[in-house]
Amino acid sequence: MDFKITEELQFMKDSAHDFAEKEIIPFADKWDEEHHFPLEVVKKMGELGYFGCTIPEEYGGTGCGYLALTMICEEISRGSSSVRVAFNTQNLGTALSILRHGTDEQKKRWIPELISARKIGCFAITEPNAGSDVVSLKTTARKDGDHYVLNGGKTWISFASKADLAMVYAYTNREAGAKGLSAFVVDMHTPGISTRDLDKLGTRSSPTSEIAFEDARIPKDALLGKEGDGVKIVFGSLNQTRLSCAAGGVGLAQACLEAAVKYCQERSQFEKPVGEFQMNQALIAEMATDIEAARLLTYRAAWLKDQGQLNNVLETSMAKLTAGRVVTECAEKAMRTLSAYGYSTEYPVARYFRDAILYQIVEGTTNIQKMIIGTDQLGIRKANR
Ligand code: GRA
């Protein structure tokens, strides 16, 4: 077992750390307050190759791997959990699915645009009545000559209102059950597609929207893979997008720890720094230890993917479950450490607190991760299929 991080990986992590310090952290609270989507920063990240780690050079990527992406994603999320979402919209939930299931022509056409962030992506799975239960989604794609006609509605879709391209999951054959689900790469500027932004508690500089498809005609070459491949593509994709959530949770938890440590060192009460009090020391110790455990699970899930095990649903769910728990606990502990200053919107801890709970909701709730892991361990349904 080799826990050593290579010099190359450490360099990439440090560079992303510096990028977040300069380009994200000074502005993140203001963006959050104004619900501003920092498109220019996402584009810079694209230019720097942050979204190309899992994509080979022939399609414009760097090919440096899942662990590299995880470490970069962690550092970006330490700066702004909202900006972290771009790893999924530009790569893991879009470009990567095209790489795994698309034709050479589709790969050449869409992947370089997405990973460079010249085009903004999104992926549309969730619907008002289909959240945890993915296969119950209702959107349809009816074949009509050289086109498919999309009808239905999606909700809680990150970046949808800013997106040029969307991975859309829709039924081409409702009677066939899960085998009738298909995946499409859709031009979001197609007539018949509209979006409406939703307001939310946190992650406010990442826009989240509803999408309506009303007789939206998309060309037949928008189909990814074959008709009926949708289930394979969507579950294969969720197992990669969950990695960015695990990394994002770790990064945000790290920000919580750092804020608590700084406060403990700077704030004095009863004539000594509050870090001298054992109850605060206990909080810091718990946070640091839990974060390291979540980080190790996350790096291991990424490392397995680098070994070619992209279907490591069990290990990825364990990492996501743990990171989701740890980040919410760390946000609460940071809040307790800073108390009134944590609650004040003048410090980022209030933002961390609002952003943290998302990691128990997105990409499969905490209960869904427990279901995946529990049913695997009980021999009911193997997670790594
Ligand atoms: O045999 P079949 O033809 O009926 O197919 C079944 C199965 O073989 C079908 O799916 C197939 N399947 C898979 N195929 C390939 C299942 N898993 C895989 C796989 N890994 N690879 C139905 O399977 P099932 O076992 O009966 O599944 P289920 O009981 O219907 O549901 C399973 C489960 C609950 C785990 C699943 O639906 C699930 O993961 N739900 C959570 C949904 C989720 O994660 N949504 C996230 C939305 S996107 C998002 O949050 C964006 C956030 C952006 C950001 O912040 O990053």
Side-chain angles (χ1 to χ4, degrees):
M1 206 179 279
D2 185 0
F3 288 99
K4 193 168 180 298
I5 295 173
T6 62
E7 265 179 41
E8 198 189 3
L9 280 171
Q10 192 60 53
F11 174 78
M12 284 191 255
K13 191 172 194 290
D14 292 346
S15 307
H17 183 95
D18 293 347
F19 179 85
E21 284 288 334
K22 265 201 222 93
E23 308 274 349
I24 296 178
I25 291 172
F27 317 104
D29 282 321
K30 192 162 182 291
W31 295 337
D32 173 76
E33 195 187 321
E34 296 173 357
H35 293 64
H36 170 71
F37 172 59
L39 176 64
E40 60 296 343
V41 173
V42 172
K43 288 197 179 284
K44 264 190 208 164
M45 287 162 61
E47 281 164 24
L48 287 167
Y50 287 1
F51 306 128
C53 297
T54 66
I55 305 291
E57 284 176 22
E58 67 172 306
Y59 301 115
T62 59
C64 52
Y66 287 85
L67 191 50
L69 178 135
T70 298
M71 289 178 173
I72 294 170
C73 181
E74 176 190 341
E75 291 297 340
I76 298 301
S77 191
R78 175 181 160 272
S80 163
S81 186
S82 290
V83 179
R84 187 278 311 166
V85 179
F87 287 87
N88 281 352
T89 61
Q90 304 310 121
N91 179 350
L92 300 178
T94 57
L96 185 61
S97 295
I98 299 169
L99 179 75
R100 296 178 73 195
H101 305 283
T103 60
D104 193 45
E105 205 251 307
Q106 290 175 322
K107 292 179 201 179
K108 286 194 177 121
R109 187 159 138 214
W110 291 314
I111 294 176
E113 296 296 302
L114 283 164
I115 61 174
S116 62
R118 285 194 292 273
K119 283 200 192 310
I120 296 299
C122 71
F123 51 105
I125 307 169
T126 303
E127 298 185 357
N129 293 312
S132 295
D133 185 6
V134 172
V135 295
S136 73
L137 68 85
K138 298 261 182 304
T139 298
T140 55
R142 180 174 50 82
K143 191 90 182 275
D144 182 21
D146 283 347
H147 289 79
Y148 285 94
V149 183
L150 285 176
N151 276 291
K154 300 284 178 181
T155 193
W156 296 117
I157 309 305
S158 298
F159 289 18
S161 59
K162 308 290 177 195
D164 304 295
L165 285 175
M167 279 284 319
V168 175
Y169 295 91
Y171 277 99
T172 41
N173 182 356
R174 295 282 291 278
E175 284 70 50
K179 290 183 176 59
L181 189 68
S182 301
F184 298 89
V185 183
V186 174
D187 179 344
M188 285 294 279
H189 308 294
T190 305
I193 302 181
S194 57
T195 62
R196 188 180 73 89
D197 277 351
L198 302 165
D199 198 7
K200 52 197 193 305
L201 177 73
T203 324
R204 288 188 195 158
S205 20
S206 157
T208 307
S209 322
E210 293 174 339
I211 309 178
F213 299 107
E214 292 162 303
D215 287 329
R217 292 178 72 79
I218 55 168
K220 68 173 189 217
D221 65 1
L223 177 71
L224 198 62
K226 299 189 300 296
E227 281 191 16
D229 282 353
V231 153
K232 181 176 75 183
I233 298 173
V234 75
F235 288 131
S237 171
L238 283 171
N239 191 40
Q240 317 315 326
T241 49
R242 279 174 193 154
L243 180 68
S244 122
C245 289
V250 171
L252 179 55
Q254 179 68 32
C256 293
L257 170 65
E258 289 174 27
V261 165
K262 186 165 183 280
Y263 186 82
C264 279
Q265 289 167 340
E266 288 173 358
R267 168 82 168 169
S268 280
Q269 287 291 274
F270 307 103
E271 292 166 15
K272 53 185 173 184
V274 296
E276 300 271 332
F277 296 105
Q278 288 187 347
M279 279 189 258
N280 282 334
Q281 290 169 4
L283 290 178
I284 300 291
E286 286 162 10
M287 289 166 84
T289 308
D290 286 346
I291 293 168
E292 200 53 28
R295 181 177 284 125
L296 285 172
L297 280 175
T298 304
Y299 286 4
R300 177 158 171 269
W303 178 84
L304 284 168
K305 292 179 199 292
D306 279 330
Q307 310 308 304
Q309 294 184 41
L310 284 184
N311 69 337
N312 61 338
V313 174
L314 180 66
E315 294 81 3
T316 310
S317 284
M318 284 176 166
K320 201 266 177 185
L321 173 69
T322 306
R325 176 180 58 75
V326 167
V327 69
T328 41
E329 288 176 4
C330 285
E332 197 259 342
K333 284 172 183 165
M335 184 63 83
R336 273 203 273 154
T337 310
L338 275 82
S339 46
Y341 290 103
Y343 203 60
S344 159
T345 52
E346 278 178 39
Y347 289 81
V349 169
R351 168 168 57 90
Y352 301 160
F353 189 83
R354 286 184 289 102
D355 286 358
I357 191 67
L358 181 81
Y359 290 101
Q360 301 229 25
I361 300 170
V362 281
E363 301 288 356
T365 61
T366 284
N367 283 347
I368 289 293
Q369 307 310 326
K370 286 181 180 171
M371 179 175 134
I372 292 170
I373 299 161
T375 50
D376 178 90
Q377 297 300 297
L378 288 159
I380 297 168
R381 182 168 61 181
K382 205 166 161 8
N384 296 354
R385 287 178 262 180

